[in-house]
């Protein structure tokens, strides 16, 4: 069905990303590329002064290692970690890299999501391709 699938992964308690990669595999054409994608939020400068100098690089390395572990056994899998704002960065990256499907997990919306919108909702509204949302 799809040749390039983006699977955004969030490392917080509200998201269960365990179903996203298996669904992406089901939606993939033979030889399709599946990209596990994580967006590292910017840390305000005032907060950075309280963290170790190598905090960002160590965090990035740990995230890459975890994503690579998750891709074991997945043909043509790629891991990408970028800095930015989750919703906007996912949509922009998908458009810039000819992604034809995004498989994203969503949590049950809370009150703040009705005012701000969840990352999945932003991706659904603005993505240049098909989006499969999992709960």
């Amino acid at each position: 069905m799809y040749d390039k699938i983006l699977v955004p992964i969030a490392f917080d308690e509200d998201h269960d990303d365990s179903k996203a990669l298996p669904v992406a595999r089901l939606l993939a054409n033979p030889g399709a590329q599946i990209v596990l994608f994580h967006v590292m939020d910017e840390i305000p400068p005032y907060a950075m002064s309280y963290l170790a100098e190598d905090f960002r690089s160590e965090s990035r390395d740990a995230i890459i290692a975890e994503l690579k572990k998750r891709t074991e056994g997945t043909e043509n899998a790629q891991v990408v970690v970028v800095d930015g704002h989750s919703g906007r960065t996912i949509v922009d990256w998908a458009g810039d890299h000819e992604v034809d499907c995004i498989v994203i997990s969503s949590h049950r919306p809370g009150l703040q999501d009705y005012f701000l919108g969840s990352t999945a909702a932003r991706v659904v509204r603005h993505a240049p391709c098909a989006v499969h949302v999992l709960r």
Side-chain angles (χ1 to χ4, degrees):
M1 294 180 64
Y2 298 103
D3 293 316
K4 189 164 188 178
I5 301 174
L6 185 66
V7 182
I9 302 293
F11 292 101
D12 56 19
E13 293 176 15
D14 292 341
H15 289 86
D16 177 13
D17 298 317
S18 63
K19 299 175 190 169
L21 187 55
V23 168
R25 286 185 196 123
L26 289 172
L27 295 172
N29 284 328
Q33 183 180 24
I34 297 175
V35 180
L36 261 64
F37 187 80
H38 179 76
V39 179
M40 290 183 68
D41 288 325
E42 296 296 325
I43 298 175
Y46 68 85
M48 285 299 293
S49 63
Y50 294 101
L51 301 173
E53 269 185 48
D54 54 354
F55 172 78
R56 293 284 290 179
S57 63
E58 286 185 8
S59 295
R60 181 179 302 276
D61 292 345
I63 290 166
I64 290 170
E66 175 61 27
L67 294 176
K68 284 184 177 179
K69 186 168 45 168
R70 292 184 187 197
T71 62
E72 289 175 3
T74 302
E75 190 176 324
N76 295 328
Q78 179 184 359
V79 168
V80 175
V81 177
V82 298
D83 295 321
H85 176 272
S86 296
R88 186 171 43 247
T89 303
I90 292 166
V91 169
D92 290 346
W93 199 92
D96 293 344
H97 293 87
E98 300 177 4
V99 169
D100 53 1
C101 180
I102 299 171
V103 177
I104 188 167
S105 296
S106 179
H107 64 284
R108 296 270 180 218
L111 185 58
Q112 79 178 36
D113 295 319
Y114 289 109
F115 295 116
L116 300 174
S118 70
T119 299
R122 288 183 191 133
V123 171
V124 167
R125 283 194 304 269
H126 301 289
C129 59
V131 179
H132 292 267
V133 180
L134 305 173
R135 284 207 188 198

